[in-house]
Amino acid sequence: MIVSHFELVYKPQSPAGPADTVLQGYFLEITNLEAIQLEFALNFTTSPITDANRSLFGNAAVFVDTPGIDNNIGVFSITGALASKSFGLNRRIVVPAHGTALLALLPSDPFPPALVPPSMANFECRGYATLTLPPFLFRAQAAAPVKVLLTAQNRTQYSDPATGVPKGQSQSSLPITTGKAENLIAPGQPLFDFDDLVFDRDLVTKFPFIENLSPVQLMAALMAEAQAAGMDLREFNAALRTAGINLALENRKAS
């Protein structure tokens, strides 16, 4: 679902006359109202642009706090290129049953005042955020749409443009597109339908996060999902043969 607008800013509050420097980030709380753990994907859509001062590329840091875990810089990052119109996260946001995750998308290097004085700040980027419930390789995460609570905010710091000394802060809620705090997110469907199994190499390579796995990790993930789904190995091996892949799986007891 489309969640809300987002806007990152590090620049003077007004283009004319003396004005404070604004440093603004986007915050999103996601509460899982279901009795199972869920893994969400978040994307940020903007106008494709090649101006480095108007793109998320290289200009945003992501933090995600979940119950019991505070993520440090580098755990989550933004994927995409300078002229991209859509930027995703490098990994899913895992929210335990009845838990709440807090995502912060913030202007980053080179924007801290130590590197770019407030008087020279000139960055802004805006667009909208989309939250989805992607499938695992062989099964959807849920049989029906899941309930979530969503709260989106801008949080802003105002600084003296000459010294960079903070002068104040504010936070404001952003409207959710549905107009409600509680929302339903439909689960994405798996790559394979076991009633009519078709193996599509191109589809597999386009699956979210597949590029982050080594061949060994991918094979292990495939076998784990196959076991969890109770897959008929005869059908799967037949699909491999049809695709021209000279491999087969067989059940064995773990030693």
Side-chain angles (χ1 to χ4, degrees):
M1 64 167 287
I2 297 176
V3 178
S4 70
H5 283 107
F6 77 89
E7 183 178 37
L8 302 190
V9 179
Y10 183 48
K11 62 183 300 184
Q13 188 174 17
S14 170
D20 290 341
T21 299
V22 174
L23 179 64
Q24 177 174 287
Y26 174 76
F27 289 74
L28 178 64
E29 279 189 317
I30 306 167
T31 298
N32 174 9
L33 297 178
E34 304 293 341
I36 58 173
Q37 176 175 287
L38 297 172
E39 300 183 13
F40 297 95
L42 190 64
N43 278 79
F44 300 95
T45 301
T46 68
S47 298
I49 193 168
T50 57
D51 186 342
N53 283 325
R54 299 293 183 268
S55 172
L56 286 183
F57 178 71
N59 294 328
V62 183
F63 299 87
V64 178
D65 291 347
T66 53
I69 301 176
D70 294 335
N71 293 130
N72 296 317
I73 186 70
V75 176
F76 281 82
S77 60
I78 291 289
T79 64
L82 178 60
S84 295
K85 64 172 293 185
S86 180
F87 298 84
L89 299 186
N90 64 325
R91 59 179 63 203
R92 295 174 181 176
I93 301 172
V94 180
V95 187
H98 307 300
T100 297
L102 174 62
L103 171 134
L105 180 69
L106 305 171
S108 70
D109 183 23
F111 301 113
L115 298 177
V116 176
S119 59
M120 296 176 61
N122 187 34
F123 168 73
E124 62 182 355
C125 183
R126 61 183 65 90
Y128 60 89
T130 303
L131 189 68
T132 59
L133 192 67
F136 300 124
L137 288 178
F138 290 116
R139 68 185 190 278
Q141 292 194 51
V146 300
K147 291 183 179 180
V148 296
L149 284 179
L150 299 174
T151 300
Q153 290 183 323
N154 285 330
R155 297 187 186 180
T156 309
Q157 176 179 284
Y158 305 90
S159 301
D160 184 288
T163 65
V165 175
K167 299 174 64 176
Q169 297 182 2
S170 66
Q171 61 184 43
S172 57
S173 294
L174 296 169
I176 303 298
T177 56
T178 61
K180 302 182 297 182
E182 181 180 312
N183 292 273
L184 292 174
I185 298 183
Q189 296 306 302
L191 293 179
F192 305 111
D193 182 350
F194 290 104
D195 294 329
D196 184 21
L197 186 61
V198 176
F199 195 97
D200 186 333
R201 294 188 197 185
D202 291 335
L203 188 58
V204 171
T205 60
K206 295 175 184 176
F207 191 74
F209 312 107
I210 213 77
E211 68 276 6
N212 296 326
L213 300 179
S214 69
V216 173
Q217 291 172 320
L218 176 57
M219 181 61 72
L222 285 168
M223 289 189 290
E225 291 297 327
Q227 178 175 307
M231 185 182 65
D232 186 326
L233 290 184
R234 291 173 299 179
E235 291 184 10
F236 185 72
N237 290 336
L240 290 176
R241 289 194 299 273
T242 301
I245 299 173
N246 297 319
L247 294 173
L249 297 180
E250 63 180 27
N251 283 316
R252 289 187 177 180
K253 291 183 179 180
S255 57

